[in-house]
């Protein structure tokens, strides 16, 4: 018979019949839809196998026919369970052992941080403790590696980038710290020139001979501080050193739509929890929830580990966040203000934190095709120092 291996789950009994009418007995079983297989003659007896649930049907057939029926052998899951219950201590001990190994395999046993200074490493470990990522914590009760990476980068200003990788039971962090700009060291004789057109607003000369004054207009490449000091008879070459700020100008063009449509999250969310077996998912929590009309799904499925192996079993959740379509409308004045702020923000990102935007002036403004278009001139105070070496003949 086909798929005999399935009978293991029902329980299997070996039946031996002796006496008259053994063939009629087997035919009665078949007529009553009692599957029999591996029918063999053993001397004057006939043996075959049946399922455990068909025992009562076999006894009824035995009483009807002139043959004696005996059960010789039992096997299968029901008998295995019955036998295990008699040895419950062993079964409970094995279950506890397996559970402990499973928990230990899914616990955080080490946190390795590379590429960070001791002070930065201390900040990282402190932030990890606040997030609950610590030795002895179960992995499925902590954030996923992507969320850990995001939180560390956002909360620790000393970090430029941090890589987070979970290998087995250990978290590995690869850190790239922010490098403070190296202070300019003046070792060889040099002049200081303007790196762009500007009006001098602040000037502090530490070494060298000033060639310009405050409020003076300078051109790109014009000398600001000479590295030649002394008179013509006793002239020395030094590495000019100074802090010079100048007022510069930047022109930018900005477009701001009057009406803008975009998706936002409403703040409502629903969660469903799953067990995963291979590619098949079984929902275990979060039933009877009406889904949103428009939503975005965030999935977090993690596999369960046993020692160093990933089992084909996982657990996790799906977060359904409601989205809404929002239309933002500006008045002409609001669009103008938004455009000025946007242009200032872009310019600030390009120039860096040291530059200061002093003022702004709208040179040209149009309102067409549902957009406000601005041409803006920004006044900026920034460092205009550029060094150039003193060559022979200067």
């Amino acid at each position: 018979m086909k798929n005999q291996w399935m009978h293991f789950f029902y329980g299997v009994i070996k039946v031996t019949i002796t006496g008259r009418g053994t063939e009629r007995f087997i035919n009665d079983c078949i007529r009553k839809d009692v599957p029999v297989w591996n029918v063999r003659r053993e001397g004057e007896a006939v043996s075959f196998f049946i399922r455990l649930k068909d025992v009562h049907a076999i006894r009824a057939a035995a009483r009807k026919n002139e043959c004696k029926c005996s059960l010789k052998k039992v096997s299968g899951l029901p008998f295995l369970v019955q036998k295990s219950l008699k040895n419950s201590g062993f079964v409970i001990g094995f279950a506890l052992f397996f559970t402990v190994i499973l928990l230990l395999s899914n616990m955080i046993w080490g946190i390795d941080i590379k590429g960070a200074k001791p002070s930065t490493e201390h900040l990282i470990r402190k932030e990890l403790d606040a997030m609950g990522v610590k030795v002895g914590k179960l992995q499925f009760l902590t954030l996923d590696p992507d969320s850990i990476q995001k939180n560390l980068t956002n909360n620790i200003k000393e970090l430029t980038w941090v890589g987070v990788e979970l290998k087995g039971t250990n978290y590995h962090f690869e850190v790239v710290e922010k490098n403070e700009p190296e202070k300019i060291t003046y070792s060889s004789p040099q002049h200081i020139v303007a790196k762009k057109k500007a009006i001098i607003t602040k000037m502090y000369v530490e070494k060298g001979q000033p060639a310009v004054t405050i409020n003076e207009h300078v051109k790109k490449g014009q000398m600001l501080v000479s590295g030649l000091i002394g008179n013509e008879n006793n002239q020395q070459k030094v590495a000019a050193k100074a802090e010079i700020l100048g007022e510069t100008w930047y022109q930018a063009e900005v477009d701001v739509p009057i009406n803008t449509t975009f998706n936002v999250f409403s703040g409502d969310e629903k969660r469903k929890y799953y067990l995963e077996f291979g590619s098949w998912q079984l929902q275990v929590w979060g039933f009877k929830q009406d889904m949103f009309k428009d939503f975005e799904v965030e999935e977090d499925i993690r596999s369960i580990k046993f020692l160093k192996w990933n089992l084909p079993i996982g657990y996790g959740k799906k977060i359904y966040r409601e989205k809404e379509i929002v239309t933002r409308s500006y008045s002409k004045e609001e669009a103008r203000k938004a455009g000025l702020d946007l242009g200032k923000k872009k310019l600030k990102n390009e120039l860096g934190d040291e530059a200061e935007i002093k003022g702004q002036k709208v040179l040209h403004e149009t309102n067409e095709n549902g957009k406000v278009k601005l041409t803006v001139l920004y006044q900026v105070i920034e460092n205009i120092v550029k060094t150039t070496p003193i060559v022979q003949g200067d």
Side-chain angles (χ1 to χ4, degrees), residues 147-367:
S147 298
I148 294 173
Q149 181 185 39
K150 183 178 179 181
N151 288 346
L152 288 176
T153 306
N154 291 340
N155 298 336
I156 301 178
K157 62 181 181 179
E158 288 80 1
L159 299 181
T160 297
W161 177 84
V162 57
V164 183
E165 186 178 10
L166 177 62
K167 291 183 179 179
T169 57
N170 290 350
Y171 269 104
H172 296 270
F173 296 85
E174 195 72 33
V175 177
V176 177
E177 295 189 54
K178 289 182 179 177
N179 293 322
E180 295 294 332
E182 295 182 2
K183 293 183 178 180
I184 301 174
T185 57
Y186 303 93
S187 55
S188 59
Q190 58 191 5
H191 300 301
I192 293 178
V193 299
K195 64 181 178 181
K196 56 184 65 177
K197 183 173 69 172
I199 298 176
I200 305 298
T201 59
K202 180 180 178 182
M203 189 171 182
Y204 171 71
V205 179
E206 186 175 338
K207 285 185 180 181
Q209 180 67 36
V212 294
T213 59
I214 293 178
N215 297 326
E216 184 176 341
H217 287 261
V218 296
K219 299 178 180 179
K220 182 179 179 180
Q222 181 177 338
M223 184 178 296
L224 304 179
V225 180
S226 173
L228 301 176
I229 61 175
N231 52 41
E232 294 181 359
N233 298 326
N234 185 22
Q235 196 172 60
Q236 296 180 356
K237 296 179 181 179
V238 298
K241 184 177 181 182
E243 179 187 0
I244 302 175
L245 301 181
E247 180 182 318
T248 57
W249 305 269
Y250 292 88
Q251 183 172 309
E253 294 185 356
V254 186
D255 295 346
V256 179
I258 298 294
N259 297 310
T260 306
T261 301
F262 51 92
N263 289 319
V264 298
F265 291 116
S266 67
D268 292 335
E269 63 179 40
K270 298 182 185 295
R271 300 190 176 206
K272 295 186 178 182
Y273 295 85
Y274 295 84
L275 289 177
E276 189 175 76
F277 305 91
S279 59
W280 182 69
Q281 290 184 336
L282 173 65
Q283 185 177 348
V284 295
W285 195 258
F287 301 98
K288 297 181 180 179
Q289 297 189 84
D290 295 330
M291 278 295 97
F292 304 116
K293 182 178 180 181
D294 193 14
F295 58 86
E296 185 173 299
V297 181
E298 178 184 333
E299 189 175 36
D300 180 17
I301 303 294
R302 309 186 194 184
S303 60
I304 296 176
K305 302 180 180 66
F306 184 76
L307 298 178
K308 64 178 181 178
W309 299 284
N310 285 333
L311 301 179
I313 304 172
Y315 59 91
K317 61 187 175 183
K318 291 182 180 179
I319 304 174
Y320 298 82
R321 293 190 172 90
E322 184 181 23
K323 293 196 301 184
E324 295 178 343
I325 298 177
V326 176
T327 301
R328 181 185 61 194
S329 297
Y330 283 135
S331 65
K332 183 178 178 181
E333 187 59 33
E334 288 173 338
R336 185 176 187 274
K337 184 178 182 301
L340 292 174
D341 292 339
L342 179 61
K344 184 183 292 186
K345 184 178 179 180
K346 288 182 177 179
L347 182 59
K348 189 69 175 177
N349 290 336
E350 293 176 4
L351 298 178
D353 295 333
E354 293 183 357
E356 176 190 354
I357 298 177
K358 181 181 178 181
Q360 58 193 18
K361 182 179 180 181
V362 178
L363 301 179
H364 185 66
E365 179 179 346
T366 59
N367 186 358

Side-chain angles (χ1 to χ4, degrees), residues 21-35:
T22 55
E23 290 82 1
R24 187 167 58 252
F25 177 90
I26 295 174
N27 290 333
D28 285 345
C29 291
I30 295 174
R31 279 194 292 270
K32 292 182 178 181
D33 294 327
V34 176

